[in-house]
Structures are given as structure tokens and as C-alpha cells.
């Protein structure tokens, strides 16, 4: 199991001649779909960018993605739903359409959700806090995507190196992003390395784990 984690690194140079199979990419996306989320509300959506024109258009304001855009087999934009509260259409959709339940049956669940947002994490009436909370959920899916890719011998690169405002404006202008509903959380690429993997360095276990008895 740990071998996949040792294999994975933020790949900077991809071999543009090698493509991830549809079967393997679908497995990666299934890992995202099955990922956990706070209260189970799955606040994410993913855009697979196959258009070469869009890839080129992204480069001027996506400095951290240029190497991926030049060579990665698959390039994905991770979106999150904005302003998720107990009154959100997403919450109603998840409870009724996904869980096959009713708002009345999930009254207790919704009560704890509201208490959590209002009192525990103080998210309500703060759009940025709500955005960041949803974005944190999407990073669970991102980690599962990259780890699953590593198990399959596929390389990846998580990307935050882009101008958030310009990226959202661009996707809004080309008609694929409703910024009143969704925001960009991350970018990520998948493909096959065309470089030697650098040594993996991390803090020691004693530095990161403190046992409280």
C-alpha cells in the first residue's frame, strides 16, 4: 500500500505521447465519486479539459499548470458548490435524490449540520468561509484521485498555481461555469512522467506525531 504513496509525486514533466486509458481514468474518477465529504453532501464537480484551445488559453494565468498543459494526458478542474447551507438545492438533492430519503426524515441530520455551521465552525454569513469549507471537502477527492492513479502506475500533479479570479472569469466567459453556483477549488493533471522522480523527502514520524496519553 505504501509503495503507491512513495511512487506518487507532483510530476513536472509529462510524456505527451502516452495517454491514460479510458478505463484507468474512469477508475480515478470513481475514486473521486466515492470520496467522503462532511455530512455527506458531496460539494464537488469536475471538468475534464480535452480542448487544446482551452489548454492554451489557460496558460497565461495558470503558471503552475503550464508543464501539465503541455504534456499531461488528462487535465481536470475541480469545482465546488458555493454557499452550501441546509436550505441549499444541493442538500435537498442529496437527501431526496441520492439518499432516497426526505428532509423530514433527515431533520436530526440537518439540525446537526446547521449547528456545526453556525456554532462549531462559524461558517454562516461568511461566503469565503463557506467556500473554503467546501474546498476542503474537494481536497479529499483530490487526494483519492492521485493515490488511485499511483496504484495504477499513473502520475499526477495537483495545481494551485493559477490566478483564481482570472480562471473563474475565463470559464464563465466561455459558458461552462456559473460563478454564482460554482467556484474553482483546484486543478490536477494525470499522465506519465518524462523525468526521473526526485528523492522523496518528508519530516520524520517523530516530528509530526505526538502521542497524548
Amino acid at each position: 500500500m505504501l509503495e503507491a504513496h512513495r511512487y506518487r509525486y507532483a510530476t513536472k514533466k509529462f510524456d505527451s505521447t502516452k495517454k491514460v486509458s479510458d478505463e484507468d481514468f474512469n477508475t480515478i474518477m470513481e475514486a473521486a465519486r466515492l470520496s467522503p465529504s462532511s455530512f455527506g453532501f458531496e460539494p464537488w464537480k469536475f471538468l475534464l479539459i480535452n480542448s487544446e484551445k482551452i489548454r492554451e488559453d489557460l496558460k497565461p494565468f495558470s503558471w503552475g499548470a503550464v508543464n501539465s498543459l503541455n504534456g499531461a494526458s488528462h487535465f481536470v478542474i475541480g469545482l465546488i458548490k458555493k454557499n452550501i447551507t441546509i436550505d441549499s438545492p444541493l442538500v435537498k438533492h442529496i437527501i431526496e435524490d441520492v439518499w432516497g430519503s426526505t428532509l423530514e426524515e433527515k431533520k436530526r441530520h440537518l439540525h446537526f449540520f446547521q449547528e456545526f455551521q453556525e456554532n462549531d465552525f462559524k461558517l454562516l454569513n461568511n461566503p469565503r468561509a463557506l467556500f473554503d469549507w467546501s474546498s476542503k471537502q474537494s481536497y479529499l477527492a483530490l487526494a483519492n484521485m492521485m493515490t488511485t492513479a499511483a496504484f495504477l502506475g499513473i502520475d499526477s500533479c495537483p495545481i494551485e498555481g493559477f490566478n483564481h479570479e482570472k480562471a473563474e472569469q475565463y470559464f464563465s466567459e466561455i459558458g461552462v461555469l456559473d460563478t454564482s453556483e460554482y467556484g474553482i477549488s483546484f486543478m490536477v493533471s494525470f499522465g506519465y512522467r518524462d523525468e526521473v522522480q526526485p528523492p522523496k523527502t518528508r519530516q520524520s514520524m517523530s516530528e509530526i506525531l505526538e502521542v497524548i496519553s
Side-chain angles (χ1 to χ4, degrees):
M1 179 185 298
L2 290 179
E3 189 56 36
H5 293 276
R6 296 187 181 103
Y7 176 86
R8 188 219 62 78
Y9 77 106
T11 303
K12 298 300 187 294
K13 186 180 180 183
F14 289 90
D15 186 340
S16 61
T17 68
K18 295 181 179 179
K19 300 300 179 184
V20 175
S21 70
D22 289 343
E23 180 181 4
D24 282 347
F25 183 70
N26 288 339
T27 298
I28 291 169
M29 292 311 304
E30 183 68 0
R33 192 183 72 87
L34 295 174
S35 294
S37 58
S38 185
F39 289 87
F41 290 140
E42 305 173 40
W44 46 61
K45 181 179 179 180
F46 306 93
L47 304 178
L48 173 60
I49 309 301
N50 287 332
S51 166
E52 288 300 325
K53 181 183 184 309
I54 293 177
R55 285 193 178 206
E56 285 298 317
D57 288 347
L58 290 174
K59 290 178 182 178
F61 50 83
S62 305
W63 55 270
V66 172
N67 291 333
S68 293
L69 292 165
N70 283 335
S73 170
H74 288 62
F75 191 83
V76 175
I77 307 291
L79 306 179
I80 55 93
K81 279 273 194 179
K82 292 182 175 179
N83 301 317
I84 298 175
T85 66
I86 62 169
D87 299 318
S88 300
L90 174 67
V91 171
K92 185 175 188 294
H93 166 64
I94 293 292
I95 290 175
E96 295 182 347
D97 303 325
V98 179
W99 298 350
S101 186
T102 66
L103 297 176
E104 179 62 27
E105 289 172 337
K106 293 299 179 180
K107 183 188 296 185
R108 181 176 173 84
H109 187 79
L110 290 171
H111 169 75
F112 282 118
F113 179 48
Q114 186 171 28
E115 285 290 310
F116 161 78
Q117 288 196 310
E118 185 173 355
N119 298 317
D120 296 335
F121 271 42
K122 302 189 186 308
L123 302 176
L124 299 182
N125 303 316
N126 187 336
R128 180 67 201 198
L130 281 172
F131 180 93
D132 289 343
W133 172 75
S134 291
S135 190
K136 286 193 294 185
Q137 312 313 308
S138 75
Y139 272 61
L140 297 173
L142 171 63
N144 283 343
M145 292 164 73
M146 293 189 298
T147 302
T148 298
F151 271 109
L152 297 170
I154 296 168
D155 296 299
S156 63
C157 185
I159 299 159
E160 287 185 322
F162 60 94
N163 185 292
H164 193 264
E165 182 178 356
K166 290 181 179 179
E168 289 195 347
Q169 180 181 357
Y170 172 78
F171 282 107
S172 175
E173 289 175 350
I174 65 172
V176 298
L177 177 64
D178 180 353
T179 55
S180 68
E181 184 177 5
Y182 286 99
I184 297 177
S185 179
F186 61 80
M187 300 175 179
V188 61
S189 57
F190 300 96
Y192 294 95
R193 66 187 71 177
D194 188 20
E195 60 183 355
V196 176
Q197 179 177 348
K200 187 178 286 288
T201 57
R202 293 292 189 274
Q203 297 179 80
S204 67
M205 187 63 73
S206 63
E207 291 178 289
I208 67 166
L209 175 64
E210 180 179 355
V211 179
I212 309 299
S213 300

